[in-house]
Structures are given as C-alpha cells and as structure tokens.
Amino acid sequence: MNPAITKVCVIGAGVMGAGIAAQVANAGIPVLLLDIVRDPADRNAVATGALARLQKAEPAAFMSSRAAKLVEVGNIEDDLARVAECDWVIEAIIERLDLKHALYEKLDAVRRPGTAVTSNTSTIPLGALVEGRGEAFARDFFITHFFNPPRYMRLLEVVAGPQSDPALVARVSDFADRALGKTIVACKDTPGFLANRVGTFWLQSAVNAAIELGLSVEEADAIAGKPMGVPGTGIFGLVDLVGIDLMPHLKASLTSTLPADDPYQAIALDHPLIDRMIADGYTGRKGKGGFYRVNRAEGKRKEAIDLATGEYRPQVKPASLPGVAQKDLRALLALPGKVGAYAWAILGATLSYAAALVPAASDDVVAIDAAMRLGYNWKYGPFELIDRIGVSDLVARLEAEGRAVPDILRIAAGRPFYRIEAGVRQVLGSDGAYHDIARAEGVLLLSDVKLTAKPLLKNGSASLWDIGDGVAVLEFTSKMNAIDGEILKLIGAAVPLVASQFKALVVYNEGSNFSAGANLGLAMFAVNIAAWGEIEKLVAGGQMALKALKYAPFPVVAAPAGMALGGGCEIVMHADAVQAHAESYIGLVECGVGLVPGWGGCGELLARWQAMPGLPKGPMPAVTKVFETISTATVSKSAAQAMELGFLRAGDGISMNRDRLLADAKARALALVPGYAPPAPPTFRLPGAGGKAAIMLAVEGFQAQGKATAYDGVVAGYLADVLTGGEADLVDTVSEGDLLALERKGFLALVRNPGTQARVEHMLTTGKPLRN
C-alpha cells in the first residue's frame, strides 16, 4: 500500500461533504467532489453549485483562492471510476442506509484495494454500514465523523470496526491530524459517538429546565454560558447558531438507537413552541430568527422569544450573577432560587450522564473531555468540570436526590480525575490508577514545559522559557496579549540573554490570539492626561525592541495563531521566519483607529512587496499595494491569505494542527542556526511628493463615492507620507531609519488629533471602528 494520501474523493456535496472537500484542498491536496445527477443537461450541476457556494461562504471555507482550484467536480454516474485515482474516499451522502449500501457496492467495484473508505455518518452504526460487504471492503472501511464547519472545528471522531485495518486507520488519522489539523478522538461504535451523545443531552436538559423553571432565554444563557466555561452564546444562542431544526433530527436519531433505559430517553421531550418555530421558519440564524432575532421593522431592535407565550419582546439584560459565582462552579450551584437550581439541573444531569458513558462509549475520560472542548467549544470537558465541582460534592448531591451514581465516580472515590505528579499530567483510569497523559509524537506544548520549569525572565505581561535544544520561547501573557511597555522591556532583556545562552528564539503563546496589537487602553490613558512624552517613548521603545529582534545575532521565529494585529503583526514581520498556524488572522489595522503603523510595519511590508516577483517595476506599484492593504486595515482570513498579502513570505511555514505549532516552530528555528547571520537593513527608492499626490487623488475619488470618510482622508495623508518617503525624491535612497522616523512623526501627530481619539475611544467602548 502507498503510505501517502495524495488525492481524496468526497462523495456527497451537501454542506458537510463540500466543507470536508474544502478543508482537504486547504491542505494542498487535490480532491474530487462527486454528487448525483439532477439535471441531464448539466450533469455536474449539484457539485458545481456546491463549489460555488463554498467560494462565497462566510466564514470562508477556503483558506486561499489557490485552494479552491484543487477541487474538481463530477457526478457519481459518470465519474465514480475515478476513485481509483484516490487514496481516501469519504462518503457524506444522506443518512439513509439503503442509499449508502448501494453506493458502497458500486465503490467496491472500482476502488483500488487498500483505499480507505470512510463514512461521515453520525447516526448509523458501523456494523450496519458494512453489512453485506465482503471482508476486503470491511477491512478498508471505518467512520470519520467531521464537525461543521469542517475548516474550523478541530474534532474528528474516528470509529473503527473489529475488521478495520489498524494500519489504514492510523494512516488516515495521521493525515487528518497533520494535514487537516484535526484532533483525533477514537470512539466506540455507540449511538451519537461522544460529542453529539453528550452535547445533545446537555442542550435538551438545558432547554427543558429553562422552560420548567420559568427562566427567560437571557437568564438561561447568562447562567449556562461563561460561568460554566461553555460558549459565550449560552444555550439558546448556541441552538440558534447551529440551527433549531437540527434538534429534532438529533433527538430522533438518538431515541431510535439508544437503549430504552438510557437517561436521554426520559428527557427527549417535544416542545410545542420549538415545533411551531421550525414550522414558521424561525430556525435560528440561518432562518428568520430563533430564540433571538433582529426586528428590522422596529429599527433593528434586538428581541428574544418569551418561552411561556411564544411571543417576541425586546431583549433584556439579565441581572448580573455574584462575582464569585461567575468563576466558581460550587458558588454558582449554591446560589438560592432558580439560578442555582438551573445550574444544577444542567450540570448534575449532564456530568453524571457523561460519567456513565465510561466504559460503554469510551474507556478514556480524556477523549470525552476533548470531544466536548473541540466539538462544542466548551472551555472544560465534563470530567474537568467535575474536578472543579469536586467528585465528592457531586456524588453527595446525586445520592441525596436518590439518583444513580456512575461507576467511574465510585472508582474515583473523591479523588480528582486529573492531577500533576512529578511534573507530568495524569488522568484517573477505570482501573482506579492514575496514568500519564501522553502527547502524540511531534506535539510540544508550552503548558507542559511550565509544569517542571521556571521562567528565565518574567514580568506582568511576558515570560521567557527554555524549551530545550538551545531554543527559548518568548511568551506574551497580557490581556488579549496586547503589547505594552512591560513586553517591550522583556524583549530588551531577552535578546542579550538568548544571545549568550541559546541558539534561537521562538515568539509564541497558547492564548486564543497571538496578539491583538498595542494596548490602546494604556495609550488612551496617556492621551487623557496629555502624557505625550510617554506615548513618544512607547513608539520609540517599540521600534527599538522590534529592530533588536530583527537584528539579533540568533534566528528568531514567530509562531502566530489566531489574531496577530497591529503591533502583533509587526512582531511577526520582524522575525527571520514565521511558522504560522493555518488559522492566523494577520494585519496592520492601525488606520481603523485613526493611526498609522508605528513599529516598522510600513517598511517591512514595503520591502516585501518591492521584492515580490511579478510586480511591475518602478517605485509606485509596491507603494500602491501597501497603501491599499494598510489604509483599509486588511486582515488575512488565514495564514495562506497572509502570504498572498505579504504579511508572510513564500518561505514561511504553515502548521495545520495548532498542537504541532510550537514543535514545528522550534524545528524551523534550529534549521536556521547553522551559518546564521542577521539580515542586511533594506533601502528604498520612493516616489516622494508626486507619489503622495497620486495616492491622495485616488483617496479623494473614494471620498466622492462615499467609500471613504473625511477623516479617512486625514489618516491616508499621513500613511501616504510614510510610504512615499516624505520629502525624499526618486534619486534619494531612503533608509529603514528614515521610514521609522516618518512613522513616529505620523503616529504622534495623529494621536493628538481629536478625530483619532474619537476612533480609539469608540473601539475601546464598542469593539467596532468609528466611521468619522
């Protein structure tokens, strides 16, 4: 068997199948997308239409325009024999066993032996899927259950049968891990597998209890959202997001396949209100609204449905929970009245249900926790939540109510499910013993390093760590990893320490975002007290710190994930190389708050575009391109798009799996060590006043069309001054230092302008840009 997966076929171009095809293409793998023939005149119309929808999808299904070109469409009648070209065939057709059996019979006749065939089903048992097929097909067949949307949801549930070839399952799983960025959770062949089994029970319990206790949807979401570490949408907001009409389908599937004595059977209630909402088209965000809606007839008024009357009313902000109850589950559960009762109704039922799945659905509590974190975006998995409540407290309350206590809770006997022993994370097993939690080969997490190490340097906003093999990691720890004076100080201290004791430096953290940019709150505070000297010091200090990284006597690799905006983007661009997570959203967004990049971003992006192959010669093309990107505060929608925009270079790397990012960045840094020399400072030939005039003429045109505001023009003027070299002329050589001086001048002038101050205040208050 060929160990490589070089081409994939997805059969079924519905929402899931098309999304899976897009993610395969995002990995740079050609994919054949097939569906039925509905129109004899256009036999590929179904798959073609799906591809067209993918290219317009929001959030984007494709990471780059190049990825879309890797998807080839066809139909099952004419093109099924082409699965012989593929190493993995993914079936994602309608959940009807008869149709799947008919397809498998045809596939078996044309596929290459040893080709993996998997189903994306979440409702049909594996044993039923392979029924009637030969031994060879059963050996190559298993289930790979993706979550929607496939690009963004990291969970992949894999269900192998007793006849499935372990080597083939391992090969596909490894590909899905490394190339598709998935975390693989092995599941037993039980109804709903893990995430949907627990998730559906959780949602049903929460909806039932809210109606029974007479809570409003706003109250329910405030209790069952952030305090429990589940999505900020809460329960009803989440159901709106995934689609209210999905609930009856999941319920029908589970009630028909679960044993009669399964606890879910008792809570799988029909609610006339929900039935009526679905019938009337109120299916959530994809419909006319859901439990929440925006009433456009009333001036876009935000409304919520009254669970008792079924009528919409203006949305009401619920009373705030006591501060301690927002972070302490025990305190939340202890609250009197319907708040504590609702919290217990959800947690008591859901956590005991999850515990009862061991070992029937999974032998591994780590797998159940991972399934809920990654499949439903919980901050903590069920067993992590049990630890936060306390095993003994949970058992005592269940016993007091005469409810069944799952065996795994008895085995725990009051002990936590997770512990740290000698610097190693351990988990309690069904055998009553603790076992080390092993990381997959090629996975390195800073959180693991911290279990046994102490920081080399540390302050309130950043730390420096030794991750072995002569590589240090610079970690940001401020809120949103916003860059402040403390981070700049630590960079200043880190450079000489790394130079004397290490081979290379990686800039990395495990927060949701690499960095949201400079700390605007601190800058605005300085503005309000007219501390202009402090602002000037922050700008100059940032320039000095980033150039210290750029020209350090050792290689520096930036490893962004999530947002890398403004100053965060500038740090990325000052590194010798970048190893970015695929889901990195990078951009110079300063113009959106009425500023220009102040830490060297203009020069870094300009140098890249001037060296870009295929760009017309002369000073204006690169200047124009960079002006367009920065003035519109363009942010990449992926690391691949960041490369197209010039924030990353062609030689930079992209890691699809977030858990592999640090190891990949470390390897890249070590590869740069032999013969390393800092880069030579760039020089520029810029168009000067004539170039600025041409840019501003275009800006005036946009203003006349209503595409740019009056203050956009003010900010654009300062940006154009930087990018065209200020007073420079075509015959002059503009240095990197000259551009830094122009950035400082423009930034400091704009920060004194009331127009910029209004933009910054608006952004800090609302999180949205002000169009003044």
Side-chain angles (χ1 to χ4, degrees):
M1 283 188 295
N2 182 356
I5 292 178
T6 58
K7 189 171 186 177
V8 173
C9 177
V10 178
I11 303 176
V15 172
M16 281 302 300
I20 293 167
Q23 184 64 359
V24 172
N26 288 334
I29 304 297
V31 57
L32 180 64
L33 179 62
L34 306 179
D35 210 305
I36 61 173
V37 176
R38 282 206 184 122
D39 181 359
D42 185 359
R43 298 177 66 81
N44 296 340
V46 176
T48 301
L51 180 58
R53 288 189 294 274
L54 283 175
Q55 291 172 301
K56 298 177 183 177
E58 286 295 337
F62 289 112
M63 292 181 179
S64 69
S65 56
R66 294 192 304 274
K69 296 175 183 177
L70 291 173
V71 180
E72 185 180 2
V73 299
N75 69 78
I76 296 172
E77 293 182 19
D78 302 327
D79 303 303
L80 195 64
R82 293 191 58 195
V83 301
E85 304 168 9
C86 303
D87 306 297
W88 181 15
V89 180
I90 305 170
E91 171 269 302
I93 67 172
I94 191 170
E95 294 286 77
R96 273 181 49 185
L97 187 57
D98 59 331
L99 296 180
K100 292 181 188 289
H101 276 169
L103 174 62
Y104 298 162
E105 183 175 2
K106 294 176 182 177
L107 271 176
D108 211 5
V110 295
R111 71 184 186 95
R112 282 185 287 110
T115 299
V117 179
T118 70
S119 176
N120 186 56
T121 186
S122 61
T123 62
I124 303 175
L126 188 147
L129 292 171
V130 297
E131 188 176 352
R133 299 263 41 90
E135 181 182 328
F137 186 88
R139 186 173 58 248
D140 296 339
F141 184 87
F142 51 102
I143 291 171
T144 50
H145 179 220
F146 291 80
F147 281 70
N148 192 38
R151 170 180 166 182
Y152 300 96
M153 299 301 288
R154 292 177 57 192
L155 177 62
L156 180 66
E157 293 180 322
V158 174
V159 184
Q163 295 173 279
S164 303
D165 177 5
L168 189 60
V169 174
R171 181 198 307 169
V172 170
S173 297
D174 186 68
F175 173 82
D177 169 350
R178 296 173 187 271
L180 303 185
K182 302 302 174 188
T183 296
I184 310 302
V185 171
C187 303
K188 294 185 178 181
D189 190 16
T190 55
F193 308 136
L194 291 180
N196 282 343
R197 178 87 173 266
V198 177
T200 302
F201 186 97
W202 164 60
L203 291 174
Q204 188 75 51
S205 297
V207 171
N208 292 353
I211 294 173
E212 291 166 8
L213 292 169
L215 271 73
S216 69
V217 295
E218 297 99 325
E219 289 173 325
D221 285 347
I223 298 166
K226 291 182 180 179
M228 294 186 187
V230 301
T233 55
I235 298 296
F236 292 97
L238 180 62
V239 174
D240 276 357
L241 180 64
V242 300
I244 297 172
D245 54 335
L246 182 63
M247 289 187 68
H249 293 294
L250 289 172
K251 182 171 66 178
S253 169
L254 287 174
T255 54
S256 65
T257 54
L258 287 171
D261 61 350
D262 188 273
Y264 180 74
Q265 301 284 9
I267 68 165
L269 307 177
D270 291 320
H271 295 294
L273 171 61
I274 293 176
D275 293 339
R276 193 189 80 194
M277 291 172 70
I278 295 171
D280 292 344
Y282 287 94
T283 54
R285 294 190 190 183
K286 66 182 179 182
K288 296 188 290 185
F291 293 106
Y292 297 95
R293 75 172 184 182
V294 176
N295 190 335
R296 301 188 185 282
E298 296 291 336
K300 297 185 178 181
R301 183 175 70 190
K302 293 181 178 179
E303 296 181 336
I305 204 164
D306 188 303
L307 294 175
T309 67
E311 301 298 322
Y312 284 98
R313 52 162 177 74
Q315 196 170 321
V316 177
K317 186 176 181 179
S320 298
L321 298 174
V324 66
Q326 295 182 33
K327 297 181 179 179
D328 186 336
L329 282 185
R330 290 175 179 164
L332 178 65
L333 292 170
L335 289 176
K338 61 185 180 181
V339 174
Y342 185 60
W344 172 247
I346 299 172
L347 290 174
T350 303
L351 299 184
S352 60
Y353 186 71
L357 297 181
V358 181
S362 176
D363 297 315
D364 186 2
V365 303
V366 174
I368 297 175
D369 280 348
M372 293 311 298
R373 286 197 311 271
L374 300 172
Y376 279 79
N377 285 328
W378 287 17
K379 185 175 182 180
Y380 308 103
F383 293 92
E384 292 168 319
L385 288 171
I386 291 172
D387 278 356
R388 293 173 72 83
I389 295 171
V391 174
S392 296
D393 288 354
L394 177 61
V395 169
R397 191 156 181 177
L398 291 174
E399 288 179 331
E401 296 179 359
R403 295 163 67 175
V405 176
D407 291 343
I408 191 68
L409 297 182
R410 298 285 189 197
I411 291 169
R415 294 175 294 167
F417 282 98
Y418 294 93
R419 74 177 188 181
I420 296 170
E421 187 72 16
V424 177
R425 295 184 192 273
Q426 295 184 329
V427 63
L428 184 67
S430 299
D431 59 357
Y434 283 96
H435 305 273
D436 293 351
I437 298 175
R439 300 296 186 195
E441 186 252 330
V443 170
L444 173 63
L445 300 180
L446 186 57
S447 57
D448 287 345
V449 173
K450 291 180 179 181
L451 296 179
T452 55
K454 291 184 179 180
L456 303 165
L457 297 171
K458 181 179 175 63
N459 61 28
S461 298
S463 302
L464 187 72
W465 300 89
D466 180 352
I467 61 169
D469 301 315
V471 179
V473 161
L474 172 64
E475 175 198 28
F476 305 150
T477 56
S478 57
K479 185 177 180 180
M480 292 289 286
N481 291 324
I483 301 167
D484 56 19
E486 290 294 286
I487 288 178
L488 299 181
K489 284 180 186 176
L490 198 127
I491 290 174
V495 169
L497 190 153
V498 174
S500 64
Q501 300 181 27
F502 291 85
K503 299 175 183 177
L505 176 70
V506 172
V507 186
Y508 165 90
N509 63 74
E510 288 168 2
S512 299
N513 297 294
F514 179 76
S515 174
N519 190 323
L520 289 178
L522 289 177
M524 205 61 209
F525 175 77
V527 167
N528 289 334
I529 61 172
W532 307 115
E534 290 303 309
I535 295 177
E536 186 169 359
K537 195 187 305 181
L538 181 66
V539 176
Q543 290 184 347
M544 186 180 303
L546 269 60
K547 295 308 173 187
L549 286 177
K550 180 177 179 178
Y551 297 114
F554 50 81
V556 175
V557 173
M563 292 189 296
L565 305 179
C569 173
E570 288 174 305
I571 285 178
V572 169
M573 290 199 297
H574 278 77
D576 294 290
V578 179
Q579 186 70 33
H581 181 230
E583 298 298 345
S584 293
Y585 316 118
I586 305 175
L588 295 169
V589 297
E590 289 85 351
C591 288
V593 289
L595 295 166
V596 295
W599 289 341
C602 293
E604 292 300 322
L605 193 56
L606 196 55
R608 292 168 187 222
W609 274 100
Q610 285 189 339
M612 199 75 73
L615 199 69
K617 300 301 179 184
M620 279 303 289
V623 168
T624 301
K625 185 65 183 177
V626 173
F627 178 84
E628 290 173 357
T629 301
I630 298 178
S631 66
T632 56
T634 299
V635 177
S636 73
K637 294 182 178 180
S638 67
Q641 193 183 51
M643 204 168 282
E644 295 174 354
L645 293 169
F647 296 127
L648 302 183
R649 291 160 290 205
D652 288 331
I654 297 176
S655 298
M656 294 293 284
N657 192 317
R658 178 71 173 81
D659 290 343
R660 296 184 177 277
L661 180 59
L662 180 55
D664 292 346
K666 178 182 177 181
R668 179 168 285 268
L670 288 171
L672 293 174
V673 170
Y676 176 77
T683 57
F684 305 89
R685 297 279 185 180
L686 299 173
K692 180 179 178 180
I695 289 173
M696 296 311 295
L697 187 62
V699 171
E700 290 169 10
F702 284 120
Q703 288 176 316
Q705 298 171 46
K707 296 179 180 179
T709 68
Y711 200 66
D712 286 337
V714 174
V715 177
Y718 283 98
L719 178 61
D721 199 50
V722 176
L723 296 177
T724 58
E727 300 297 324
D729 196 80
L730 273 173
V731 297
D732 297 326
T733 297
V734 179
S735 70
E736 184 177 62
D738 294 332
L739 284 186
L740 290 174
L742 288 169
E743 281 189 351
R744 284 198 305 274
K745 178 182 176 183
F747 188 100
L748 295 171
L750 283 167
V751 80
R752 289 174 176 264
N753 193 307
T756 289
Q757 294 166 17
R759 285 194 175 190
V760 174
E761 287 278 14
H762 192 268
M763 178 62 73
L764 290 172
T765 304
T766 69
K768 298 177 181 178
L770 174 66
R771 306 294 295 153
N772 58 344

